[in-house]
Amino acid sequence: LSRISARRRDRRGAHDRALAEAEAVDAELRRYAVAATRHRPQSERLTGRRAPQLLNVAYLVEDSRRTAFAEVLGRLTADGRRPAVRVDASGPWIPYSFARWDEDPQAGPDQEVPA
């Protein structure tokens, strides 16, 4: 039981370290985006990988900042400072990720949408 418990703690510690690294990458990339939104992580079946997806984030980046965003992304993934995470990027995509079904398009920025 002690070995099983130790393995479980080690796995949890590795997961926590990887999540912290992923959060640091996300924080840096958000500096270059107009908006960012998190989606539910995809399953291993959908990603085709054995490791779980920790974060699934979409970034809305202005065209004028696209090159800087790509350079930062490249630096963050190539510098080896975050060995516990693998960062994949795709796009550009249409900004559908930022459309909200729960917002009234007629409401002003200070108005609440009735529930």
Side-chain angles (χ1 to χ4, degrees):
L1 286 176
S2 177
R3 281 184 288 201
I4 291 171
S5 181
R7 277 195 303 257
R8 199 173 282 149
R9 273 193 313 275
D10 289 346
R11 276 195 306 271
R12 185 72 207 164
H15 178 269
D16 290 348
R17 284 188 300 279
L19 186 55
E21 289 182 16
E23 295 277 356
V25 169
D26 176 49
E28 181 67 20
L29 293 175
R30 284 175 184 263
R31 295 178 53 217
Y32 294 85
V34 172
T37 186
R38 286 189 180 185
H39 299 288
R40 184 177 66 237
Q42 295 179 337
S43 71
E44 287 93 351
R45 198 170 124 229
L46 288 174
T47 64
R49 297 200 172 81
R50 298 188 113 176
Q53 187 177 56
L54 299 173
L55 294 179
N56 183 6
V57 184
Y59 302 95
L60 184 62
V61 179
E62 291 180 345
D63 280 340
S64 62
R65 304 218 53 196
R66 185 169 49 179
T67 300
F69 182 87
E71 287 172 355
V72 167
L73 179 62
R75 188 186 77 241
L76 289 170
T77 58
D79 66 10
R81 291 185 309 163
R82 294 179 177 83
V85 295
R86 174 182 168 166
V87 178
D88 293 318
S90 62
W93 301 97
I94 59 173
Y96 67 88
S97 295
F98 302 93
R100 298 282 310 263
W101 64 269
D102 59 344
E103 289 180 353
D104 180 358
Q106 303 302 318
D110 296 331
Q111 294 176 319
E112 289 188 28
V113 177

